[in-house]
């Protein structure tokens, strides 16, 4: 077992280096002195917003060779000021997860198998179901004969990760379609 000279004891180094509160190099190990941050090798930084919740913390996305290598809080963000919660700080794991699903999968009723769909086909299927539910739930009048011209067949429930623009467009779309049941997770 190697012996460490008393001159290298942390408290001695603190006093010797004038680092009374042990916040400087006096408490740095040899190993940590040779380490460098993950962002050092990035060739560019892209500004983004955390996708997880409505706080919308600003993020700096570090990219090397067109691959995201690290995501950190953006000090320029006026409200999060460089901070991320643990979930937001782990966003890089969402981007680079090896088991991340990147294709559209569909399991038909009573089927036990998933099938891959291209985006156009999936959007057509969503639109068909939307229109059918709208039609099936349509009401020209209420039970007292008053005109309402609305559908009770569709409803919107927004997630808190959605931004203002998305919520605006969804409200426009659903109201134009006659839906009156529109809510957001942030209000529940
Ligand atoms: S970092 Fe945390 S608090 Fe900020 S937006 Fe992401 S999930 Fe929300």
């Amino acid at each position: 077992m190697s012996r460490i000279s008393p001159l290298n004891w942390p408290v001695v180094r603190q006093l010797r280096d004038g680092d009374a509160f042990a916040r400087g190099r006096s408490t740095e190990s040899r190993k940590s002195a040779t380490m460098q941050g993950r962002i050092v090798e990035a060739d560019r930084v892209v500004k983004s917003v955390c996708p997880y919740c409505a706080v919308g913390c600003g993020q700096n996305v570090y990219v090397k060779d067109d691959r995201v290598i690290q995501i950190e809080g953006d000090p320029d963000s006026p409200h999060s000021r460089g901070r991320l919660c643990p979930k937001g700080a782990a966003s890089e794991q969402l981007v680079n997860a090896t088991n991340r699903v990147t294709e559209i999968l569909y399991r038909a009723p009573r089927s036990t198998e998933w099938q891959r769909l291209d985006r156009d086909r999936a959007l057509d299927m969503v639109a068909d179901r939307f229109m059918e539910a709208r039609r099936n739930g349509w009401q020209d009048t209420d039970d007292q004969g008053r005109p309402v011209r609305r559908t009770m067949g569709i409803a919107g429930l927004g997630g808190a990760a959605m931004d203002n623009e998305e919520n605006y467009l969804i409200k426009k779309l659903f109201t134009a379609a006659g839906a009156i049941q529109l809510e957001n997770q942030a209000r529940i």
Side-chain angles (χ1 to χ4, degrees), residues 50 52-53 55-57 84-85 88:
C50 176
Y52 284 127
C53 90
V55 177
C57 297
L84 294 175
C85 77

Side-chain angles (χ1 to χ4, degrees), residues 25-40:
R25 298 186 70 86
S26 64
T27 50
E28 196 174 56
S29 70
R30 256 188 235 115
K31 181 177 176 187
S32 60
T34 62
M35 295 172 85
Q36 59 182 14
R38 270 172 275 185
I39 62 174
V40 171

Side-chain angles (χ1 to χ4, degrees), residues 155-158 170-172 174-175 179-184 187:
L157 176 61
I170 285 172
K171 168 66 177 156
K172 283 272 185 196
F174 275 72
T175 300
I180 58 171
Q181 304 166 115
L182 280 169
E183 198 39 280
N184 190 280
R187 268 171 32 104

Side-chain angles (χ1 to χ4, degrees), residues 109-145:
R110 291 175 287 283
S111 171
T112 57
E113 305 291 328
W114 292 95
Q115 66 185 88
R116 289 181 174 78
L117 296 181
D118 65 58
R119 193 184 57 174
D120 288 346
R121 168 97 176 104
L123 284 174
D124 283 347
M125 290 169 69
V126 171
D128 288 347
R129 284 158 175 74
F130 183 91
M131 295 307 292
E132 185 182 356
R134 175 181 183 269
R135 203 164 33 243
N136 292 341
W138 187 261
Q139 297 175 340
D140 273 322
T141 57
D142 66 10
D143 52 12
Q144 297 176 46

